[in-house]
Amino acid sequence: MLLLEDTSEIDNVNLGAIFTLGTFNGKISKIAMETAVDDINSDPSILSDRNLTLEIHDSDYNGFLSVMGALQFMETDTVAIIGPQTSMMAHVLSHLANKLHVPLLSFTALDPTLSPIQYPYFFQTAPNDLFQMVAIAELVSYYRWTQVIAIFTDEEHSRNGITALGEKLTKKRAKISYKAILPPDIRGKLSIVKQELAKVKMMESRVLVVHTLPILGPIILKAAEDLGMIGNGYVWITTAWLSSILDCKTEPETYQITQGVMTLRSHTPDSPRKKAFIARWNNLSKDSTRLNVYGLYAYDTVWLIARAIDAFLRQGNNISFSNDPVLTAVGGGNMDLSALSIFDGGNELLKTILKTSMTGLTGPIRYNPDRVLVNPSFDVLNIVGSQMRRIGYWSNYSGLSILPPEILRKRPPNRSFASQKLYSVVWPGGTKKQPRGWVFPRDGRKLRIGVPQRVSFLNFVYQDNLTHAIHGYCIDVFEAAVKLLPYSVPYEFIFFGDGHQNPSYNELIKKITMGEFDAAVGDIAIITNRTMIVDFTQPYADLGLVVIAPVKKLVSSSWAFLGPFTPLMWAVTGVFFLVVGTVIWILEHRINDQFRGPPRQQLKTMLWFSFSTLFFAHRENTVSTLGRIVLAIWLFVVLIIQSSYTANLTSFLTVQQLSFSIKGIDSLITSNAQIGFQVGSYAENYLNEELNIHRSRLEALNSPEDYAEALKSGRVAAVVDEQPYANLFLSNYCQFAISGPQFTKSGWGFVFKRDSPLALDMSTALLELSENGSLQNMTRFWLQKEQGCQHSVNDSEQLKLDNFVGLFLVYGVACILALIIYFCLMLYKFHQYLPQQSEPLSQGSPHSARLKTFLSFAAKKEDLSQRRLKRKRMSASIPAYHTEMTEIE
């Protein structure tokens, strides 16, 4: 043990530290912590009446010694402990800290599972490893890799970090494809490391992430170099352990095994205090070691404790300890547990640490509510030559960037993919070309591609009988896409099927999941249950299921002109023509001479006016405002009806009319007829499972000839098949046609194993084929070169009342409102008219007499000249009134 300072004149505040002093981080941390204690004791503004002491215990990477050191500190009234250096010991010592209420602060034990809920007295004074894993996951996503291999030692720190990495990669739609687990201590075990890395070398992924302790990491990289794994095609990403070593060492052999490697380092903003400390470092260390970022965190950790204790004392608290009666009772033999004391003010000091906010050598230091340091960020480094070249930064605020996080935090947050940027990287092997991140497994065989051995519709896939080469639309598309890949793909086609009937495509896909095939090429539909077990490329052909049914031509009828409307539509339209005539007559007959006369004449006028509006040929003028409004709305309705009738009649008379016994999938479902489907097609399962058609109604058909025979004989009422097959079938059989629209939407794609990176690259190649027109050319060549007979089928249907109910409703409401307004005005005028009648009401009931008078009034022509004269008198009286008022004034 090392006692830094002991004074009897003033009270001491005792701190403890547990480190392995034989490591780089241990040596650097010791110097930095001692310097921090000296600086604090020489600063009168902090702990002015107290002296800070620090006792450092060397654990020598030994868990037992770490525990013993902690117990000794508890016997000497220590208020806080810095350390331990490893996460494994942090888990153990945190239980002791919880019991004795002594805060435990570490800047190297950064295990994500060290939860503040479980260990409330444990503080991490450097960014948690969880943020490193987020940064690595975003690096993987940035370079569009989908699989990584994790290499780590089997101890708590590394194992928990890799678990967190797997979770973060999943959120980025990537994964750890293999975990290369090494023994907890691989010193002197290079052969074991090489044995595990040799397995990794045979695997597909070439993105390797190494997470381990600094003392063990170089052993892994040395083994990789010996196996030739730090070269072209490989991607090596390490956590911050590598930067902590390279910051301290300058030996060429250290850089030799790390060329092209990417690593992280906790980001510490530049500041005058940091530069001054770096300038002091050579004198402080006596040139024994160089400074790394953990030295800065060690210095800040001591200052953080000192400021918290200073605030604790200023609040009126005292530093006191007491014995735990439980420990006293347990003590026995040579174990003097009663000597362990509980820090009485431990809980208050804990709260004070959480509230402490300061700016240290590493930047702003304070804890957020979930006890994580604010603003975690990292430098992204690339080892080139004998230096670590910074290619960018990562922070939890802005992600990957080429600007320092402290600048970006002054701007609105932007985590869009376009905003993520890094400088160029020199990859292993000295290349600047980004590795694709995977290779074909080195087992000496080609990619085994299953191809359905079809016996019908050979345009898609077939084998040449002379050369035995495999050709067809699907094969041509696949080979064209492979040629666009930036690397060569060794493959071989292997037929699947017995050659007597089309194979089951579901069985072909199961062969891929079982490992018999690496991929499948053919007319394979992309459907939901298949995408759950394999990966598809993007579709290279759009398709869907259609209904093929027998068809016959309809002979044109002499009553074809009635076809565009249903009988109900004709009837309702005729009724509305009568309604418009009646409404206009009611609104006009009192004031319009053209709507007056003998009853027979008025009826003729009303009927003629109604039906003449169909051709906008009405001769009668409307005088009333209400009449004009009603007529304008009606003429708009007539225009819509007339246009719709003309368009539908044209379609009926000019397009060939076909008659189907089955009209689309809906009528097929409701019938009890047999339905044919192609052997091997997904149509069978779709009809049964999705449309609930019993399998007894489904009949398998193997070829176009079978289709034709089954449809002609009536064995099946219709055949359900995919659009491309239907088009080829109908090009040779004119007595059949597609009935109804396509009722599913799908596509054909190439099939690969789950998470195969080749699926993504092939999708990109297919997009390029589509953009340059090659895919369309192949489609025309194989699927549209046979025109055969073509049906021009009229899909027009009779227009129903439902199509125009809105128009009729609007017009009906307009008529009703006009009539209501008209009769209200009539009643008003009638009440004015009654007092002018000097004759007494006729004998009989007063109500019937009044009704007769009203009907007589309604039938009487209104004298418009008297209304005009009244208006003139009213307008003339206004100026006379003004003149009289002027004279009075």
Side-chain angles (χ1 to χ4, degrees):
M1 292 189 186
L2 178 62
L3 184 64
L4 296 180
E5 188 172 355
D6 187 14
T7 64
S8 57
E9 297 179 357
I10 58 176
D11 292 334
N12 289 335
V13 176
N14 301 322
L15 301 181
I18 303 173
F19 277 87
T20 299
L21 300 181
T23 63
F24 283 108
N25 289 341
K27 293 176 184 177
I28 294 169
S29 299
K30 176 180 178 294
I31 298 170
M33 290 187 293
E34 290 173 348
T35 303
V37 170
D38 291 341
D39 291 347
I40 291 167
N41 287 333
S42 62
D43 188 344
S45 66
I46 183 169
L47 295 175
S48 57
D49 58 346
R50 304 256 179 173
N51 190 68
L52 190 67
T53 67
L54 176 68
E55 188 175 352
I56 301 178
H57 176 81
D58 186 2
S59 64
D60 193 26
Y61 266 126
N62 187 301
F64 175 74
L65 293 180
S66 297
V67 174
M68 292 303 298
L71 291 174
Q72 291 175 8
F73 289 144
M74 304 305 178
E75 295 177 357
T76 58
D77 295 344
T78 300
V79 298
I81 299 174
I82 302 174
Q85 194 166 339
T86 65
S87 296
M88 179 184 71
M89 289 313 304
H91 282 275
V92 176
L93 298 183
S94 292
H95 289 287
L96 186 60
N98 289 350
K99 182 64 178 175
L100 301 179
H101 297 178
V102 176
L104 193 64
L105 299 92
S106 178
F107 48 85
T108 54
L110 305 174
D111 183 351
T113 63
L114 286 165
S115 165
I117 299 175
Q118 185 178 7
Y119 307 117
Y121 282 87
F122 180 77
F123 293 86
Q124 291 173 331
T125 58
N128 187 295
D129 275 350
L130 178 66
F131 296 106
Q132 278 201 88
M133 301 309 162
V134 175
I136 292 174
E138 294 197 12
L139 275 173
V140 171
S141 176
Y142 175 78
Y143 290 109
R144 299 182 183 275
W145 298 315
T146 57
Q147 297 185 34
V148 305
I149 292 177
I151 304 171
F152 61 99
T153 46
D154 193 14
E155 35 76 30
E156 212 149 3
H157 165 260
S158 303
R159 186 171 55 249
N160 293 338
I162 292 301
T163 300
L165 175 62
E167 294 173 356
K168 299 305 175 183
L169 285 172
T170 300
K171 294 181 179 180
K172 297 294 181 179
R173 305 191 67 175
K175 71 171 187 175
I176 298 175
S177 60
Y178 179 73
K179 293 180 179 180
I181 306 175
L182 302 173
D185 189 352
I186 56 176
R187 288 175 290 183
K189 299 177 182 179
L190 187 63
S191 60
I192 294 177
V193 178
K194 287 183 177 179
Q195 184 178 352
E196 184 63 31
L197 291 184
K199 297 178 185 177
V200 172
K201 189 175 181 179
M202 299 299 293
M203 295 179 181
E204 187 176 78
S205 178
R206 283 292 182 266
V207 182
L208 312 177
V209 177
V210 184
H211 183 50
T212 186
L213 302 175
I215 196 172
L216 305 177
I219 301 173
I220 298 173
L221 293 179
K222 175 60 179 172
E225 185 195 33
D226 292 345
L227 293 174
M229 295 175 66
I230 302 183
N232 287 332
Y234 283 91
V235 176
W236 287 85
I237 303 174
T238 75
T239 48
W241 64 262
L242 179 57
S243 63
S244 69
I245 294 175
L246 296 180
D247 277 332
C248 303
K249 299 181 70 174
T250 58
E251 293 82 355
E253 57 269 19
T254 305
Y255 281 92
Q256 182 181 347
I257 61 175
T258 60
Q259 291 301 298
V261 176
M262 297 177 68
T263 187
L264 300 175
R265 177 175 60 198
S266 290
H267 174 69
T268 56
D270 291 332
S271 67
R273 286 190 64 198
K274 176 182 172 183
K275 291 178 180 178
F277 185 81
I278 294 173
R280 295 170 59 195
W281 182 256
N282 287 337
N283 292 329
L284 295 172
S285 65
K286 299 177 182 179
D287 294 326
S288 61
T289 182
R290 297 171 65 188
L291 177 66
N292 68 11
V293 71
Y294 291 113
L296 303 178
Y297 280 111
Y299 184 89
D300 283 350
T301 300
V302 177
W303 271 94
L304 175 66
I305 299 172
R307 290 188 181 278
I309 294 173
D310 185 62
F312 170 82
L313 294 173
R314 291 178 186 276
Q315 293 168 5
N317 298 303
N318 295 316
I319 296 176
S320 61
F321 296 82
S322 59
N323 293 327
D324 188 345
V326 176
L327 294 177
T328 303
V330 172
N334 295 326
M335 295 183 63
D336 188 11
L337 296 181
S338 62
L340 301 179
S341 55
I342 296 176
F343 179 23
D344 297 329
N347 189 49
E348 289 301 318
L349 181 58
L350 180 151
K351 295 177 181 177
T352 305
I353 292 173
L354 290 175
K355 295 177 181 177
T356 300
S357 177
M358 58 174 275
T359 299
L361 302 182
T362 58
I365 300 173
R366 67 177 185 277
Y367 290 95
N368 59 25
D370 57 359
R371 301 217 2 204
V372 175
L373 285 174
V374 297
N375 304 333
S377 54
F378 294 91
D379 297 335
V380 183
L381 307 171
N382 178 211
I383 291 87
V384 182
S386 59
Q387 63 178 344
M388 287 187 290
R389 176 171 156 265
R390 185 161 54 199
I391 60 172
Y393 306 87
W394 177 90
S395 75
N396 67 329
Y397 182 80
S398 55
L400 299 171
S401 68
I402 57 177
L403 294 176
E406 53 270 22
I407 294 178
L408 293 176
R409 286 192 184 98
K410 299 175 182 177
R411 304 176 182 177
N414 183 6
R415 296 298 294 268
S416 65
F417 185 80
S419 69
Q420 307 296 291
K421 293 180 181 179
L422 293 174
Y423 290 116
S424 62
V425 177
V426 178
W427 303 99
T431 179
K432 290 188 177 182
K433 182 180 179 182
Q434 178 189 326
R436 70 174 184 264
W438 65 276
V439 295
F440 295 104
R442 296 185 178 182
D443 51 10
R445 68 177 179 87
K446 298 179 179 179
L447 204 66
R448 294 167 56 86
I449 299 178
V451 177
Q453 189 173 5
R454 298 192 58 85
V455 297
S456 62
F457 298 108
L458 300 181
N459 302 57
F460 303 105
V461 176
Y462 73 95
Q463 185 175 35
D464 191 301
N465 293 328
L466 297 177
T467 63
H468 300 290
I470 300 177
H471 300 290
Y473 170 66
C474 303
I475 303 300
D476 280 6
V477 174
F478 176 79
E479 291 179 340
V482 167
K483 290 178 181 178
L484 294 177
L485 297 177
Y487 47 86
S488 61
V489 179
Y491 64 88
E492 60 178 336
F493 291 128
I494 301 173
F495 264 134
F496 172 74
D498 57 12
H500 299 294
Q501 65 177 13
N502 295 328
S504 168
Y505 286 44
N506 288 335
E507 291 299 322
L508 172 58
I509 289 174
K510 286 181 182 178
K511 296 289 184 183
I512 297 176
T513 62
M514 295 166 59
E516 293 187 30
F517 294 127
D518 299 306
V521 171
D523 46 338
I524 305 172
I526 304 171
I527 55 178
T528 303
N529 61 346
R530 294 175 181 173
T531 59
M532 295 178 180
I533 56 175
V534 293
D535 280 351
F536 281 87
T537 62
Q538 83 146 28
Y540 62 88
D542 295 326
L543 54 96
L545 293 177
V546 295
V547 176
I548 305 171
V551 63
K552 64 179 181 179
K553 296 180 182 179
L554 290 177
V555 179
S556 297
S557 168
S558 57
W559 297 94
F561 68 91
L562 295 176
F565 289 165
T566 61
L568 179 59
M569 178 62 187
W570 280 116
V572 171
T573 303
V575 168
F576 265 84
F577 271 107
L578 297 176
V579 168
V580 70
T582 304
V583 172
I584 293 296
W585 177 83
I586 292 172
L587 299 175
E588 293 287 325
H589 83 283
R590 294 193 74 242
I591 59 176
N592 193 337
D593 290 335
Q594 293 180 322
F595 289 87
R596 297 189 63 81
R600 179 178 295 182
Q601 179 65 31
Q602 292 187 51
L603 180 62
K604 291 178 181 180
T605 301
M606 184 173 62
L607 292 176
W608 165 251
F609 180 86
S610 298
F611 291 101
S612 63
T613 56
L614 177 62
F615 309 102
F616 306 100
H618 51 285
R619 294 175 297 179
E620 294 77 11
N621 295 322
T622 51
V623 176
S624 67
T625 302
L626 291 175
R628 289 175 178 176
I629 292 173
V630 169
L631 181 60
I633 297 174
W634 173 247
L635 292 177
F636 174 75
V637 173
V638 168
L639 177 64
I640 299 299
I641 294 174
Q642 187 185 68
S643 301
S644 303
Y645 174 84
T646 304
N648 216 29
L649 180 62
T650 302
S651 176
F652 269 81
L653 296 178
T654 58
V655 181
Q656 184 181 28
Q657 300 296 299
L658 303 178
S659 173
F660 292 97
S661 56
I662 297 295
K663 295 184 178 180
I665 188 64
D666 293 332
S667 63
L668 193 60
I669 294 173
T670 56
S671 71
N672 293 320
Q674 293 294 107
I675 304 170
F677 66 91
Q678 184 182 172
V679 173
S681 170
Y682 77 96
E684 177 186 12
N685 288 336
Y686 183 85
L687 293 171
N688 176 249
E689 296 172 6
E690 301 295 331
L691 302 184
N692 298 317
I693 298 175
H694 198 273
R695 289 191 184 275
S696 61
R697 291 180 55 194
L698 306 180
E699 184 168 337
L701 304 172
N702 202 40
S703 66
E705 292 76 17
D706 291 347
Y707 287 15
E709 188 278 327
L711 289 169
K712 288 178 181 177
S713 65
R715 196 167 79 245
V716 297
V719 173
V720 174
D721 207 349
E722 295 164 60
Q723 185 83 51
Y725 302 120
N727 292 342
L728 288 176
F729 171 71
L730 297 176
S731 66
N732 296 315
Y733 294 91
C734 300
Q735 61 270 50
F736 310 105
I738 294 175
S739 176
Q742 190 180 92
F743 60 91
T744 66
K745 191 68 177 175
S746 183
W748 286 342
F750 303 131
V751 190
F752 293 91
K753 289 181 178 178
R754 211 61 180 143
D755 300 316
S756 171
L758 191 57
L760 179 60
D761 291 347
M762 286 293 288
S763 292
T764 304
L766 288 172
L767 278 174
E768 188 174 343
L769 284 176
S770 178
E771 290 171 357
N772 63 28
S774 301
L775 183 59
Q776 291 82 346
N777 292 337
M778 285 183 279
T779 303
R780 281 192 294 269
F781 177 80
W782 284 103
L783 305 184
Q784 298 175 8
K785 60 183 180 179
E786 298 182 19
Q787 295 300 321
C789 55
Q790 297 292 324
H791 293 297
S792 179
V793 181
N794 177 28
D795 292 329
S796 301
E797 296 182 355
Q798 287 184 311
L799 295 174
K800 303 175 182 178
L801 178 62
D802 295 343
N803 303 119
F804 300 94
V805 67
L807 278 175
F808 288 135
L809 182 61
V810 169
Y811 181 69
V813 170
C815 289
I816 293 171
L817 290 176
L819 291 175
I820 292 173
I821 294 171
Y822 174 77
F823 283 116
C824 288
L825 292 173
M826 282 288 295
L827 289 173
Y828 173 74
K829 294 176 182 179
F830 179 64
H831 282 296
Q832 289 183 329
Y833 168 78
L834 274 178
Q836 300 175 9
Q837 302 301 311
S838 58
E839 299 177 4
L841 295 175
S842 58
Q843 296 180 356
S845 171
H847 295 290
S848 61
R850 185 180 291 270
L851 178 60
K852 289 179 181 179
T853 305
F854 175 75
L855 293 177
S856 174
F857 172 77
K860 183 179 179 182
K861 186 178 187 304
E862 185 175 351
D863 190 354
L864 295 178
S865 60
Q866 292 184 1
R867 181 161 52 177
R868 294 192 194 102
L869 181 60
K870 183 177 181 181
R871 288 177 181 172
K872 288 181 180 180
R873 289 175 179 174
M874 289 180 65
S875 61
S877 64
I878 295 174
Y881 171 78
H882 284 292
T883 302
E884 183 178 352
M885 292 300 296
T886 303
E887 291 176 354
I888 293 173
E889 292 177 358

